[in-house]
């Protein structure tokens, strides 16, 4: 079978491409480290052609999601405004030089008040809904910027971003805490204790961060324990902020295992049922859903 | 008049030296960018001799405070443990090669539970008490790591560190927010609004940070407004954490104008009377108090 079209998840740091056959079968998958962050608008087409040259012999259509559609990307795909359908009303076509090639870019979604944006997650949500028709509830997409999204009647009703992942990276890599936090390792009890503490007393957070450093200086506390404790403090703060999204609901959590783990642990501690989905699978399913819209248009 | 001794405030990034006459008069003041962070233990004496060569012709005694006494400093001056006197019970002598020179290092203060440490601020507190004998209350020392210190009967009773200054620097320099926050400028009303919001609803903080970035993308909000808003969110979170320290009290705030300004504004909004002190003056007064202890010993 030959590739019929190409699906692309083109983010800030990396890009992933799939060759899709006429019946929707995935014929191949490739990645590139040429993310949006490293490219000028004029360079995207070259990367696509380099990585997918043989596929492009038969595939003339590309459907792409992610930061490729941001203002600094290949072409700006203006945000849809929530509440809105999870499936894109329109896609934007990127400028290309190769004859016959058409690249469709899926728009992100914005929310006016409180101001918020997503770009890429909307496609994972569309993929989840394609696989779970009629789902009504809250989807959490953990990552550098975790999204909590209320979905109802195939629409994104409202959402909230917490930059917990980025905060953890900043504190462990750039702050005074970097001396005291292990690069890996985990401790369930310490995570649970710290998470419960900030969830029940979110006002204490600002006073507890430096205490991690001090605990090492004063009590020689193990740096693996401090890693779990920092994660607990930050996830607790996020769960406190996102409480209206998860309280009394079932949560669909879409993300890789490593980044999802503390969320799963935290939500289970609060008695919240968690349904898991794989981010890559959902992305591909969402791009396929957008491609199907093209065919029916 | 010739220098009788030398006072030194030797921090992580910088050092400041004063030549002191026999009657306590300041005869000269010099600074160096050779902070503890850039020096091996063996290099401190050379910096001192380079910067203060002429003073050392008559001054044989140095009294130093700050990170010079940390484990990575010239010599480790072990922490006193709170509750403890603000005046050091003992100072540690640094190893030197120059004949006749004695360098005394003031110890920091630690707290066992919750774990916390200070090194340098104890000297400012001692200076404040030397100038305000019998003061009983709370001293706030804003900075990269702001300290809230309960002082009573010339003792440090308890204290809490909030790394708000470092967090502001991390978020404005290294996070996704860096694109959206002006390098300077201010807006009183935006600061006040954001501060009140996190002070009254600290659980919302984690959801409000990314919203600063989104506000620029979605509403094209001015980056000066976003700067004031970020400061307000973080100071509000700190005031929420430090509430037991300031509620219903008068606060002595020791710090330079720029770093003190948002604290003064925030505390005044809560109806808290604020007494101001200059950090440099208090440091020198504290070193003088430690020097006086040497003379009476």
């Amino acid at each position: 079978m030959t590739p019929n079209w190409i699906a692309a998840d083109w983010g800030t740091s990396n890009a992933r491409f799939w060759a899709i056959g006429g019946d929707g079968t995935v014929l191949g998958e490739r990645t590139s480290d040429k993310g949006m962050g490293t490219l000028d608008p004029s360079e995207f087409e070259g990367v696509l052609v380099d990585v997918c040259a043989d596929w492009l012999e038969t595939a003339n259509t590309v459907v792409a999601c992610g930061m490729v559609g941001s203002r600094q990307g290949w072409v700006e795909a203006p945000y849809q405004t929530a509440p809105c359908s999870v499936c894109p009303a329109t896609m934007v076509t990127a400028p290309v030089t190769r004859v016959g090639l058409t690249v469709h870019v899926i728009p992100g979604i914005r929310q006016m008040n409180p101001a918020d944006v997503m770009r890429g997650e909307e496609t994972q949500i569309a993929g989840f809904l394609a696989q779970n028709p009629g789902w009504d509830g809250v989807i959490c997409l953990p990552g550098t910027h975790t999204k909590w999204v209320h979905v109802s009647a195939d629409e994104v009703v409202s959402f909230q971003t917490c930059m917990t992942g980025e905060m953890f990276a900043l504190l462990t890599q750039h702050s005074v805490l970097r001396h005291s936090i292990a690069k890996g390792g985990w401790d369930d009890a310490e995570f649970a204790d710290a998470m419960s503490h900030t969830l029940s007393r979110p006002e204490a957070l600002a006073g507890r961060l430096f205490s991690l450093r001090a605990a090492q200086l004063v009590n020689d506390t193990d740096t693996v324990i401090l890693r779990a404790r920092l994660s607990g403090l930050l996830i607790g703060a996020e769960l406190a902020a996102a409480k209206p999204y998860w309280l009394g609901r079932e949560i669909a959590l879409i993300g890789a295992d490593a980044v999802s783990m503390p969320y799963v642990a935290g939500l289970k501690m609060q008695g919240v049922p968690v349904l898991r989905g794989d981010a890559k699978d959902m992305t591909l399913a969402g791009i396929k859903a957008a491609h199907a819209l093209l065919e029916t248009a």
Side-chain angles (χ1 to χ4, degrees), chain A:
Chain A
M1 201 188 298
T2 56
N4 184 268
W5 63 282
I6 296 171
D9 173 16
W10 209 321
T12 302
S13 315
N14 297 287
R16 185 181 299 275
F17 305 92
W18 293 268
I20 312 290
D23 63 352
T25 308
V26 174
L27 304 176
E29 179 181 331
R30 293 172 188 170
T31 58
S32 165
D33 60 1
K34 298 280 170 60
M36 179 276 294
T38 65
L39 298 176
D40 279 329
S42 63
E43 297 174 313
F44 284 83
E45 185 177 358
V47 173
L48 172 69
V49 171
D50 279 353
V51 177
C52 306
D54 52 331
W55 297 350
L56 288 166
E57 290 171 16
T58 54
N60 285 318
T61 300
V62 177
V63 177
C65 72
M67 293 302 282
V68 64
S70 69
R71 203 169 296 173
Q72 294 78 35
W74 191 344
V75 64
E76 184 175 1
Y79 295 109
Q80 300 195 86
T81 304
C84 61
S85 167
V86 292
C87 281
T90 55
M91 289 191 275
V92 170
T93 305
V96 295
T97 57
R98 185 185 173 102
V99 176
L101 175 64
T102 309
V103 177
H104 301 276
V105 179
I106 299 174
I109 297 178
R110 67 181 179 178
Q111 176 176 275
M112 301 309 286
N113 189 18
D116 216 327
V117 292
M118 67 170 77
R119 203 179 271 287
E121 293 88 353
E122 76 293 329
T123 303
Q124 295 179 37
I125 295 167
F128 180 84
L129 287 176
Q131 298 194 351
N132 300 272
W135 164 272
D136 201 304
V138 170
I139 300 178
C140 173
L141 303 105
T144 305
H145 300 151
T146 296
K147 311 287 179 187
W148 294 84
V149 188
H150 180 203
V151 174
S152 183
D154 287 337
E155 287 201 335
V156 168
V157 177
S158 68
F159 62 104
Q160 175 177 298
T161 303
C162 293
M163 45 195 289
T164 304
E166 180 162 16
M167 196 71 83
F168 187 84
L170 285 174
L171 289 171
T172 54
Q173 290 166 23
H174 296 287
S175 86
V176 70
L177 302 185
R178 70 187 183 279
H179 307 295
S180 305
I181 306 288
K183 301 244 179 292
W186 195 249
D187 185 302
D188 283 331
E190 289 288 338
F191 170 82
D193 183 62
M195 200 214 72
S196 300
H197 191 273
T198 45
L199 182 50
S200 60
R201 296 196 49 218
E203 74 281 6
L205 176 67
R208 292 207 61 191
L209 291 172
F210 185 78
S211 195
L212 300 174
R213 171 70 175 149
Q216 197 209 6
L217 292 173
V218 168
N219 301 320
D220 203 23
T221 307
D222 186 85
T223 58
V224 168
I225 283 178
L226 294 173
R227 179 182 180 82
R229 209 179 276 177
L230 174 61
S231 178
L233 292 178
L234 296 180
I235 295 285
E238 171 162 353
L239 290 185
K243 203 168 191 172
Y245 280 88
W246 55 260
L247 191 68
R249 298 187 191 257
E250 179 185 35
I251 301 294
L253 196 73
I254 302 177
D257 284 349
V259 72
S260 298
M261 181 272 287
Y263 289 86
V264 172
L267 288 167
K268 287 198 171 164
M269 281 170 58
Q270 298 306 310
V272 177
V274 175
L275 183 69
R276 297 286 308 279
D278 180 77
K280 201 174 82 171
D281 293 349
M282 296 305 146
T283 301
L284 181 56
I287 299 173
K288 283 184 175 177
H291 181 262
L293 288 177
L294 282 179
E295 305 215 311
T296 58

